[in-house]
Amino acid sequence: MSVRYLIVDDEAPSRANLRLALAAHPDWLLLAECDGAAAARAALADNEVDVIFLDIQMPIESGLVLAREISRLRTPPLIVFVTAYSEHAVDAFEVHALDYLLKPLSDARLAQAVERIGAMLGQRQREAYGAALRDYVDAGITQAAQRLERINVRSVGRIEQIRVDDILWVESAGNYVELQLDGRTVLHRITLNRLEALLEPSDFLRVHRSAIVRRSQIARLETIGDGSYRLTLRCGAEVAVSERYLGALKAAM
């Protein structure tokens, strides 16, 4: 399957680096290199595009302006955001299941993005992707600290929207978290610490280095045989509680 793509970046060296890196993928066809959003709009009007590598920080018009326009399309091309933002600032990309590349470009990270794109295109998930992209641009990249309403979870080639209001508690699983819902568990690629920063503190409470619970789910706290603590939730789940978070939990109760 041929993948048709655009590179949109105001810096010529960055465009060249990405073009040369993608040359290793013979099925990928470069349609145009664009130095800004205006040139990208012209290329989009003249071509059927599968993927756009889009720089965010451009002098005349931010890449987010173009992304907002693209998100309104019924079947938008996939966007891989190219950014010099720090790791902390890309939380919003991950929670909305959007791909990104940090400058300077990593070959391993690009290969991962190429693999994900192939899976998404193969599953024909453009409409679901469009919904995730709209969530991101409507909220705005600077609003990560505001109340999060949905988490877009990406599995192999698919995106599923999870309402934050449906999450009962969250458990750490390495670089992933397990979102515990009513009757099922959903695995999402983000660390617990980074997800905690996005969740509303009035709704969720950290009780252990590996667990966050919904406050309204808190039911019973008890000491178990070895002197440690266990929290029982209204859904029936039992969650370990560490000394570090014990005071805040007792206050919440």
Side-chain angles (χ1 to χ4, degrees):
M1 178 183 70
S2 178
V3 178
R4 297 154 297 191
Y5 71 98
L6 301 179
I7 297 174
V8 185
D9 195 316
D10 63 299
E11 298 177 350
S14 294
R15 296 196 303 269
N17 288 341
L18 187 51
R19 170 175 27 89
L20 292 172
L22 286 168
H25 302 275
D27 293 336
W28 283 61
L29 174 63
L30 176 61
L31 298 176
E33 290 185 28
C34 307
D35 61 2
R41 288 188 188 94
L44 283 166
D46 293 339
N47 298 280
E48 187 173 342
V49 179
D50 297 311
V51 182
I52 301 175
F53 290 89
L54 179 60
D55 187 23
I56 289 179
Q57 295 174 304
M58 295 187 290
I60 298 176
E61 205 172 6
S62 165
L64 293 180
V65 174
L66 181 62
R68 182 172 287 108
E69 295 173 15
I70 291 170
S71 76
R72 304 303 175 197
L73 301 175
R74 184 173 181 274
T75 55
L78 305 184
I79 294 178
V80 178
F81 291 97
V82 182
T83 176
Y85 286 123
S86 67
E87 185 177 2
H88 175 73
V90 301
D91 290 347
F93 297 136
E94 295 190 345
V95 83
H96 291 299
L98 304 179
D99 238 327
Y100 64 93
L101 297 173
L102 290 178
K103 295 180 178 180
L105 189 66
S106 159
D107 289 341
R109 186 65 184 83
L110 177 61
Q112 185 183 56
V114 166
E115 183 178 357
R116 289 175 175 174
I117 288 165
M120 287 290 293
L121 293 175
Q123 293 287 338
R124 301 184 184 278
Q125 280 280 293
R126 296 265 188 115
E127 289 186 38
Y129 175 83
L133 183 60
R134 282 191 295 277
D135 279 350
Y136 169 70
V137 296
D138 285 347
I141 196 169
T142 62
Q143 296 182 349
Q146 295 190 13
R147 191 175 191 275
L148 183 66
E149 294 183 354
R150 285 181 294 274
I151 295 175
N152 293 283
V153 177
R154 178 174 47 207
S155 55
V156 179
R158 300 190 65 82
I159 291 178
E160 178 186 3
Q161 289 196 327
I162 304 295
R163 294 175 65 247
V164 171
D165 286 346
D166 292 336
I167 299 172
L168 304 178
W169 64 289
V170 186
E171 186 172 22
S172 175
N175 289 326
Y176 290 79
V177 294
E178 294 179 350
L179 305 176
Q180 305 292 343
L181 311 176
D182 185 12
R184 68 188 184 111
T185 299
V186 176
L187 193 66
H188 180 51
R189 185 176 175 82
I190 192 172
T191 64
L192 193 66
N193 286 341
R194 294 175 74 175
L195 180 59
E196 181 185 19
L198 297 171
L199 294 173
E200 177 58 51
S202 63
D203 293 334
F204 290 90
L205 180 67
R206 186 78 171 258
V207 298
H208 193 273
R209 60 181 175 82
S210 62
I212 297 171
V213 302
R214 179 175 290 280
R215 288 175 180 267
S216 61
Q217 280 289 312
I218 295 171
R220 185 175 69 254
L221 176 66
E222 56 189 325
T223 306
I224 53 181
D226 58 359
S228 58
Y229 294 87
R230 179 173 61 200
L231 176 65
T232 301
L233 303 182
R234 297 188 186 281
C235 64
E238 295 181 341
V239 182
V241 177
S242 65
E243 287 278 357
R244 178 180 178 183
Y245 302 102
L246 184 60
L249 175 58
K250 287 182 175 179
M253 297 181 73

